[in-house]
Amino acid sequence: AQSVTQPDIHITVSEGASLELRCNYSYGATPYLFWYVQSPGQGLQLLLKYFSGDTLVQGIKGFEAEFKRSQSSFNLRKPSVHWSDAAEYFCAVGVDSSYKLIFGSGTRLLVRP
Amino acid sequence: EPEVTQTPSHQVTQMGQEVILRCVPISNHLYFYWYRQILGQKVEFLVSFYNNEISEKSEIFDDQFSVERPDGSNFTLKIRSTKLEDSAMYFCASSETPNGVGEQYFGPGTRLTVT
């Protein structure tokens, strides 16, 4: 069965510092990979997605993610974090044989002024 | 920009009551989904719906749950007899193409509180 692991429950960074949120997946073939962000009391907003092709994908709000097949990872990065980036970030996996998205448990990002 | 909308934003109900959560998917989307997120836990898939029938459902989606597209715009989730453990945020989503190819757009959610 497919699964998604986000090993960091909380991450705190200073405003202006770089950020990397980790995501590992378990699936036999290449999955479809997504990062969503959830601000407090809000729904899920898609940051970026990977379907195929270039393994480095750009998203909204200055985020990017890199698919590494050898490590089964899809880590999210941002070179300079803004206070407004404080939110919960979810990695998700989709596969051809299913309609559902499988979500990781999320990483809560706190930004220090 | 088109978006998925959900009503109500918050619903409080007593155990054993029926609730209907409503969603208006993006107009040209053909695939519809419900997910739930119990407080502090991960987002979990409940059901997907296409061409007026359920295309996939999870173990959570038992006989007390049902979905319907009563008209050309609404998509509803009904819980027949609510339990305390049904308290969660329920998200509706829609996509233009099936998962794996099309990204899913999520609504803001309905917070269901069962007392």
Side-chain angles (χ1 to χ4, degrees), chain B residues 11-86:
Chain B
Q11 172 102 40
V12 181
T13 190
Q14 289 190 324
M15 198 166 51
Q17 295 297 304
E18 173 183 286
V19 294
I20 297 176
L21 309 183
R22 302 180 193 280
C23 168
V24 178
I26 294 172
S27 61
N28 65 329
H29 286 186
L30 301 176
Y31 298 82
F32 314 116
Y33 315 85
W34 284 101
Y35 290 79
R36 79 172 184 190
Q37 184 183 30
I38 295 172
L39 188 63
Q41 298 186 23
K42 63 173 68 176
V43 177
E44 303 173 289
F45 169 79
L46 291 178
V47 66
S48 61
F49 191 84
Y50 168 70
N51 200 26
N52 280 320
E53 60 183 28
I54 291 173
S55 46
E56 186 176 357
K57 61 182 181 179
S58 72
E59 295 170 351
I60 303 167
F61 194 87
D62 60 22
D63 291 345
Q64 71 159 342
F65 291 93
S66 62
V67 288
E68 190 180 28
R69 188 153 165 83
D71 53 44
S73 59
N74 290 283
F75 178 51
T76 61
L77 174 69
K78 182 192 290 185
I79 309 175
R80 275 182 249 286
S81 177
T82 50
K83 304 172 192 168
L84 293 175
E85 54 264 37
D86 293 327

Side-chain angles (χ1 to χ4, degrees), chain A residues 25-92:
Chain A
Y25 67 89
S26 172
Y27 181 55
T30 301
Y32 304 97
L33 297 159
F34 307 83
W35 275 99
Y36 284 86
V37 60
Q38 183 182 33
S39 298
Q42 303 296 309
L44 297 161
Q45 182 182 24
L46 181 68
L47 284 175
L48 46 79
K49 61 184 186 284
Y50 172 78
F51 289 161
S52 64
D54 193 347
T55 56
L56 183 64
V57 293
Q58 303 296 321
I60 62 171
K61 305 185 180 186
F63 285 92
E64 66 178 27
E66 186 172 12
F67 169 57
K68 292 186 177 179
R69 184 190 307 274
S70 61
Q71 298 176 19
S72 298
S73 69
F74 189 57
N75 293 348
L76 181 71
R77 300 194 294 247
K78 187 170 184 177
S80 178
V81 168
H82 188 263
W83 64 266
S84 60
D85 293 325
E88 184 133 26
Y89 292 79
F90 292 93
C91 181

Side-chain angles (χ1 to χ4, degrees), chain A residues 32 36 49 51 98-100, chain B residues 35 56 99-101 103-104:
Chain A
Y32 304 97
Y36 284 86
K49 61 184 186 284
F51 289 161
S98 169
Y99 291 88
K100 66 187 174 192
Chain B
Y35 290 79
E56 186 176 357
N99 187 35
V101 179
E103 58 200 65
Q104 295 181 20

